[in-house]
PDB file of all heavy atoms in Angstrom:
ATOM      1  N   SER A  38      23.816 145.231 163.228  1.00 98.00           N
ATOM      2  CA  SER A  38      22.840 145.147 164.319  1.00 98.00           C
ATOM      3  C   SER A  38      23.383 144.219 165.400  1.00 98.00           C
ATOM      4  O   SER A  38      23.798 143.086 165.100  1.00 98.00           O
ATOM      5  CB  SER A  38      21.508 144.598 163.777  1.00 98.00           C
ATOM      6  OG  SER A  38      20.793 143.917 164.783  1.00 98.00           O
ATOM      7  N   THR A  39      23.394 144.663 166.646  1.00 98.00           N
ATOM      8  CA  THR A  39      23.888 143.798 167.732  1.00 98.00           C
ATOM      9  C   THR A  39      22.990 142.566 167.880  1.00 98.00           C
ATOM     10  O   THR A  39      23.457 141.489 168.215  1.00 98.00           O
ATOM     11  CB  THR A  39      23.963 144.558 169.073  1.00 98.00           C
ATOM     12  OG1 THR A  39      22.681 145.118 169.357  1.00 98.00           O
ATOM     13  CG2 THR A  39      25.012 145.660 169.047  1.00 98.00           C
ATOM     14  N   ASN A  40      21.670 142.723 167.623  1.00 98.00           N
ATOM     15  CA  ASN A  40      20.777 141.563 167.722  1.00 98.00           C
ATOM     16  C   ASN A  40      21.095 140.535 166.644  1.00 98.00           C
ATOM     17  O   ASN A  40      21.113 139.332 166.903  1.00 98.00           O
ATOM     18  CB  ASN A  40      19.308 141.990 167.590  1.00 98.00           C
ATOM     19  CG  ASN A  40      18.621 142.116 168.932  1.00 98.00           C
ATOM     20  OD1 ASN A  40      19.224 142.607 169.875  1.00 98.00           O
ATOM     21  ND2 ASN A  40      17.370 141.702 169.030  1.00 98.00           N
ATOM     22  N   GLN A  62      24.998 151.464 164.911  1.00 98.00           N
ATOM     23  CA  GLN A  62      24.432 150.361 164.130  1.00 98.00           C
ATOM     24  C   GLN A  62      24.046 150.896 162.747  1.00 98.00           C
ATOM     25  O   GLN A  62      23.381 151.939 162.651  1.00 98.00           O
ATOM     26  CB  GLN A  62      23.194 149.793 164.801  1.00 98.00           C
ATOM     27  CG  GLN A  62      23.449 149.126 166.137  1.00 98.00           C
ATOM     28  CD  GLN A  62      22.211 148.441 166.683  1.00 98.00           C
ATOM     29  OE1 GLN A  62      22.208 147.256 166.922  1.00 98.00           O
ATOM     30  NE2 GLN A  62      21.158 149.194 166.882  1.00 98.00           N
ATOM     31  N   GLY A  65      20.206 148.880 162.429  1.00 98.00           N
ATOM     32  CA  GLY A  65      19.534 148.584 163.694  1.00 98.00           C
ATOM     33  C   GLY A  65      18.085 148.194 163.428  1.00 98.00           C
ATOM     34  O   GLY A  65      17.420 148.778 162.577  1.00 98.00           O
ATOM     35  N   ARG A  66      17.624 147.182 164.168  1.00 98.00           N
ATOM     36  CA  ARG A  66      16.268 146.678 163.936  1.00 98.00           C
ATOM     37  C   ARG A  66      15.375 146.929 165.139  1.00 98.00           C
ATOM     38  O   ARG A  66      15.813 146.828 166.285  1.00 98.00           O
ATOM     39  CB  ARG A  66      16.314 145.169 163.640  1.00 98.00           C
ATOM     40  CG  ARG A  66      17.106 144.849 162.386  1.00 98.00           C
ATOM     41  CD  ARG A  66      16.995 143.392 161.989  1.00 98.00           C
ATOM     42  NE  ARG A  66      17.704 142.512 162.900  1.00 98.00           N
ATOM     43  CZ  ARG A  66      17.131 141.670 163.749  1.00 98.00           C
ATOM     44  NH1 ARG A  66      15.809 141.589 163.834  1.00 98.00           N
ATOM     45  NH2 ARG A  66      17.850 140.898 164.527  1.00 98.00           N
ATOM     46  N   GLY A  67      14.109 147.286 164.848  1.00 97.00           N
ATOM     47  CA  GLY A  67      13.130 147.497 165.909  1.00 97.00           C
ATOM     48  C   GLY A  67      12.038 146.444 165.830  1.00 97.00           C
ATOM     49  O   GLY A  67      12.112 145.515 165.011  1.00 97.00           O
ATOM     50  N   ARG A  68      11.033 146.569 166.683  1.00 95.00           N
ATOM     51  CA  ARG A  68       9.902 145.637 166.652  1.00 95.00           C
ATOM     52  C   ARG A  68       9.139 145.797 165.345  1.00 95.00           C
ATOM     53  O   ARG A  68       9.192 146.827 164.697  1.00 95.00           O
ATOM     54  CB  ARG A  68       8.949 145.903 167.832  1.00 95.00           C
ATOM     55  CG  ARG A  68       9.519 145.519 169.186  1.00 95.00           C
ATOM     56  CD  ARG A  68       8.525 145.828 170.304  1.00 95.00           C
ATOM     57  NE  ARG A  68       7.301 145.058 170.166  1.00 95.00           N
ATOM     58  CZ  ARG A  68       6.103 145.590 169.976  1.00 95.00           C
ATOM     59  NH1 ARG A  68       5.935 146.893 169.898  1.00 95.00           N
ATOM     60  NH2 ARG A  68       5.039 144.821 169.872  1.00 95.00           N
ATOM     61  N   TRP A  73      15.677 150.674 163.517  1.00 98.00           N
ATOM     62  CA  TRP A  73      15.928 151.413 164.762  1.00 98.00           C
ATOM     63  C   TRP A  73      17.022 152.436 164.475  1.00 98.00           C
ATOM     64  O   TRP A  73      18.150 152.079 164.141  1.00 98.00           O
ATOM     65  CB  TRP A  73      16.345 150.464 165.890  1.00 98.00           C
ATOM     66  CG  TRP A  73      16.529 151.180 167.200  1.00 98.00           C
ATOM     67  CD1 TRP A  73      17.707 151.506 167.794  1.00 98.00           C
ATOM     68  CD2 TRP A  73      15.496 151.669 168.071  1.00 98.00           C
ATOM     69  NE1 TRP A  73      17.479 152.170 168.982  1.00 98.00           N
ATOM     70  CE2 TRP A  73      16.127 152.286 169.174  1.00 98.00           C
ATOM     71  CE3 TRP A  73      14.098 151.654 168.024  1.00 98.00           C
ATOM     72  CZ2 TRP A  73      15.406 152.868 170.219  1.00 98.00           C
ATOM     73  CZ3 TRP A  73      13.383 152.235 169.066  1.00 98.00           C
ATOM     74  CH2 TRP A  73      14.039 152.831 170.146  1.00 98.00           C
ATOM     75  N   GLY A  83      22.610 147.566 172.703  1.00 96.00           N
ATOM     76  CA  GLY A  83      23.174 146.361 173.299  1.00 96.00           C
ATOM     77  C   GLY A  83      22.271 145.163 173.109  1.00 96.00           C
ATOM     78  O   GLY A  83      21.049 145.300 172.935  1.00 96.00           O
ATOM     79  N   LYS A 133       8.997 158.264 172.982  1.00 97.00           N
ATOM     80  CA  LYS A 133       9.795 157.048 173.173  1.00 97.00           C
ATOM     81  C   LYS A 133      11.270 157.382 173.366  1.00 97.00           C
ATOM     82  O   LYS A 133      11.877 158.055 172.526  1.00 97.00           O
ATOM     83  CB  LYS A 133       9.591 156.153 171.950  1.00 97.00           C
ATOM     84  CG  LYS A 133      10.219 154.794 172.061  1.00 97.00           C
ATOM     85  CD  LYS A 133       9.534 153.834 171.098  1.00 97.00           C
ATOM     86  CE  LYS A 133      10.328 152.550 170.932  1.00 97.00           C
ATOM     87  NZ  LYS A 133       9.582 151.534 170.195  1.00 97.00           N
ATOM     88  N   GLY A 136      13.687 151.220 173.470  1.00 98.00           N
ATOM     89  CA  GLY A 136      12.857 150.068 173.106  1.00 98.00           C
ATOM     90  C   GLY A 136      13.642 148.782 173.272  1.00 98.00           C
ATOM     91  O   GLY A 136      14.874 148.789 173.364  1.00 98.00           O
ATOM     92  N   ILE A 137      12.896 147.692 173.348  1.00 97.00           N
ATOM     93  CA  ILE A 137      13.482 146.366 173.560  1.00 97.00           C
ATOM     94  C   ILE A 137      13.037 145.469 172.417  1.00 97.00           C
ATOM     95  O   ILE A 137      11.852 145.457 172.061  1.00 97.00           O
ATOM     96  CB  ILE A 137      12.953 145.727 174.878  1.00 97.00           C
ATOM     97  CG1 ILE A 137      12.920 146.730 176.035  1.00 97.00           C
ATOM     98  CG2 ILE A 137      13.712 144.462 175.228  1.00 97.00           C
ATOM     99  CD1 ILE A 137      14.219 147.122 176.597  1.00 97.00           C
ATOM    100  N   PHE A 155      18.481 146.005 173.446  1.00 98.00           N
ATOM    101  CA  PHE A 155      17.954 147.274 173.993  1.00 98.00           C
ATOM    102  C   PHE A 155      18.612 148.465 173.298  1.00 98.00           C
ATOM    103  O   PHE A 155      19.814 148.477 173.055  1.00 98.00           O
ATOM    104  CB  PHE A 155      18.124 147.366 175.520  1.00 98.00           C
ATOM    105  CG  PHE A 155      19.520 147.105 176.014  1.00 98.00           C
ATOM    106  CD1 PHE A 155      20.425 148.150 176.210  1.00 98.00           C
ATOM    107  CD2 PHE A 155      19.940 145.820 176.286  1.00 98.00           C
ATOM    108  CE1 PHE A 155      21.719 147.914 176.676  1.00 98.00           C
ATOM    109  CE2 PHE A 155      21.229 145.567 176.745  1.00 98.00           C
ATOM    110  CZ  PHE A 155      22.122 146.610 176.935  1.00 98.00           C
ATOM    111  N   GLY A 156      17.803 149.429 172.984  1.00 98.00           N
ATOM    112  CA  GLY A 156      18.297 150.670 172.397  1.00 98.00           C
ATOM    113  C   GLY A 156      17.777 151.825 173.233  1.00 98.00           C
ATOM    114  O   GLY A 156      16.562 151.928 173.476  1.00 98.00           O
TER     115      GLY A 156
HETATM  116  C1  BTN B 317      11.650 148.787 169.336  1.00 90.49           C
HETATM  117  O1  BTN B 317      11.243 148.800 168.169  1.00 90.49           O
HETATM  118  O2  BTN B 317      11.096 149.459 170.203  1.00 90.49           O
HETATM  119  C2  BTN B 317      12.824 147.935 169.728  1.00 90.49           C
HETATM  120  C3  BTN B 317      14.122 148.620 169.447  1.00 90.49           C
HETATM  121  C4  BTN B 317      15.319 147.760 169.806  1.00 90.49           C
HETATM  122  C5  BTN B 317      16.618 148.366 169.307  1.00 90.49           C
HETATM  123  C6  BTN B 317      17.808 147.622 169.808  1.00 90.49           C
HETATM  124  S1  BTN B 317      19.317 148.518 169.543  1.00 90.49           S
HETATM  125  C7  BTN B 317      20.244 147.126 169.981  1.00 90.49           C
HETATM  126  C8  BTN B 317      19.545 145.913 169.416  1.00 90.49           C
HETATM  127  N1  BTN B 317      19.998 145.652 168.066  1.00 90.49           N
HETATM  128  C9  BTN B 317      19.050 145.875 167.159  1.00 90.49           C
HETATM  129  O3  BTN B 317      19.192 145.775 165.930  1.00 90.49           O
HETATM  130  N2  BTN B 317      17.922 146.244 167.774  1.00 90.49           N
HETATM  131  C10 BTN B 317      18.065 146.252 169.205  1.00 90.49           C
END
Side-chain angles (χ1 to χ4, degrees):
S38 152
T39 55
N40 261 40
Q62 295 187 121
R66 298 188 289 110
R68 290 179 63 242
W73 183 256
K133 187 158 167 170
I137 316 288
F155 52 93

